[in-house]
């Protein structure tokens, strides 16, 4: 059986560059049947036919002289969106597979005001997630988090040596040993919801890094943000409403 590296085969099949093909695999957009291709450099049968998941478009939510707010699709880096909306700069970030409210600011004065609101925990941040297992009661996790970076990848953990972090989980719908929850975060550390969800043995579906089962994406969506008297809402993705 003749084999070829997955990204090279994908590049040939899709008529794209090797680097684009590698990026698509790294983002989790490439499948063989229903199985996600995980390793771009992995050897694969050269007769393989790939299926590529399309990335949704960035949807604008709000814009004025100070701020641009968009609904970020899953599988897109926050930095890519910043490049699309130059000269506005990111006020915060969402993980690549997290969708929802993403804010960019247009001037330094507003940025400093907004940063102070974040620092003083005056920004309301509400997420929707599907988690593993059945959650029947609200749970609050008030556990400090540390973050390490290795090979340009962040990994966080609950640790008394970390920075303060508090997350509230409110169950909504239970379906087939998983629960749709509303999450309200305070502080806002790297991977905070994902780490706290794992800590209470309810990892987020699709979040293999923190113990969730494999899915098309990490099932986490930034639904609502309130900042300086403004409220921004990103509609729940269809995959969250119909997820079974």
């Amino acid at each position: 059986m003749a084999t070829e590296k997955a990204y090279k085969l994908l590049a040939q099949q899709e008529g794209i560059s090797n680097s684009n093909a590698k990026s698509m695999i790294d983002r989790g957009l490439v499948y063989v049947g229903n199985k996600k291709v995980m390793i771009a450099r992995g050897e694969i049968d050269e007769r393989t036919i790939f299926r590529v998941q399309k990335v949704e478009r960035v949807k604008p939510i709000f814009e004025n002289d100070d701020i641009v707010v968009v609904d970020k699709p899953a599988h897109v880096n926050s930095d890519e969106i910043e490049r699309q909306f130059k000269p506005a700069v990111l006020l915060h970030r969402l993980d690549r597979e997290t969708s929802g409210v993403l804010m960019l600011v247009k001037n330094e004065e507003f940025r400093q005001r907004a940063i102070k609101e974040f620092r003083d925990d005056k920004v309301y941040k509400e997420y929707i997630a599907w988690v593993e297992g059945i959650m029947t009661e609200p749970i609050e996790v008030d556990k400090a988090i540390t973050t390490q970076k290795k090979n340009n990848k962040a990994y966080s953990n609950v640790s008394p040596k970390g920075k303060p972090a508090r997350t509230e989980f409110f169950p909504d719908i239970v379906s087939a040993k998983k629960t749709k929850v509303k999450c309200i975060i305070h502080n806002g550390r790297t991977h905070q919801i994902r780490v706290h969800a794992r800590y209470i043995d309810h990892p987020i579906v699709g979040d293999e890094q923190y113990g969730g089962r494999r899915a098309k994406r990490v099932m986490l969506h930034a639904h609502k943000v309130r900042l300086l008297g403004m409220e921004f809402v990103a509609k729940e993705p269809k995959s969250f409403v119909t997820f079974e």
Side-chain angles (χ1 to χ4, degrees):
M1 181 183 77
T3 64
E4 179 58 280
K5 285 190 169 57
Y7 76 93
K8 288 187 177 176
L9 205 56
L10 177 66
Q12 291 165 20
Q13 183 181 301
E14 295 291 313
I16 57 177
S17 70
N18 284 346
S19 61
N20 270 357
K22 189 172 180 305
S23 170
M24 287 166 96
I25 293 171
D26 290 345
R27 288 176 198 228
L29 294 171
V30 181
Y31 291 79
V32 175
N34 285 322
K35 210 168 174 192
K36 194 184 281 189
V37 179
M38 302 300 288
I39 303 166
R41 294 180 179 278
E43 295 284 333
I44 199 164
D45 184 340
E46 64 178 21
R47 295 167 299 181
T48 301
I49 303 297
F50 296 103
R51 178 171 64 81
V52 178
Q53 188 180 319
K54 286 193 164 50
V55 176
E56 290 176 39
R57 292 232 289 260
V58 177
K59 299 183 194 89
I61 294 174
F62 177 82
E63 183 170 359
N64 66 11
D65 292 341
D66 296 317
I67 192 167
V68 182
V69 186
V70 300
D71 183 352
K72 179 184 107 52
H75 307 290
V76 176
N77 286 324
S78 297
D79 292 333
E80 292 175 61
I81 293 179
E82 185 179 55
R83 287 196 290 274
Q84 282 181 48
F85 287 89
K86 275 184 171 176
V89 296
L90 289 167
L91 179 58
H92 63 121
R93 292 170 188 275
L94 295 176
D95 297 337
R96 182 164 65 195
E97 287 198 35
T98 302
S99 54
V101 176
L102 183 68
M103 299 179 288
L104 303 96
V105 293
K106 293 177 164 185
N107 62 71
E108 186 59 22
E109 185 197 353
F110 184 84
R111 192 176 85 88
Q112 290 302 331
R113 280 173 60 212
I115 285 169
K116 187 175 188 308
E117 293 290 289
F118 274 102
R119 203 180 290 129
D120 296 344
D121 196 25
K122 289 181 179 173
V123 183
Y124 176 83
K125 294 159 283 187
E126 178 187 313
Y127 288 69
I128 298 167
W130 277 96
V131 300
E132 304 284 3
I134 294 167
M135 190 188 293
T136 54
E137 298 288 330
I139 302 172
E140 182 173 320
V141 183
D142 194 349
K143 293 286 177 185
I145 286 175
T146 58
T147 302
Q148 294 84 37
K149 282 207 170 167
K150 195 176 176 186
N151 300 330
N152 217 16
K153 195 169 183 177
Y155 189 81
S156 297
N157 231 324
V158 165
S159 165
K161 294 176 183 171
K163 293 178 178 175
R166 183 162 66 92
T167 309
E168 299 172 82
F169 296 93
F170 299 92
D172 179 18
I173 297 165
V174 173
S175 170
K177 294 188 182 171
K178 54 191 183 299
T179 309
K180 187 184 190 182
V181 296
K182 177 172 83 174
C183 316
I184 296 171
I185 64 167
H186 306 267
N187 314 103
R189 308 300 173 198
T190 300
H191 299 174
Q192 178 171 325
I193 296 174
R194 298 164 62 185
V195 171
H196 279 170
R198 180 187 62 178
Y199 181 79
I200 57 172
D201 294 324
H202 289 290
I204 294 171
V205 175
D207 188 6
E208 293 180 76
Q209 185 175 352
Y210 293 106
R213 77 183 90 169
R214 185 169 294 180
K216 285 187 177 177
R217 57 165 291 189
V218 174
M219 297 298 284
L220 181 63
H221 176 73
H223 176 56
K224 188 184 293 181
V225 175
R226 289 192 202 113
L227 167 71
L228 292 166
M230 299 177 284
E231 180 175 281
F232 310 116
V233 177
K235 211 168 139 190
E236 207 177 321
K238 276 187 196 151
S239 58
F240 277 58
V241 181
T242 59
F243 185 54
E244 291 299 332

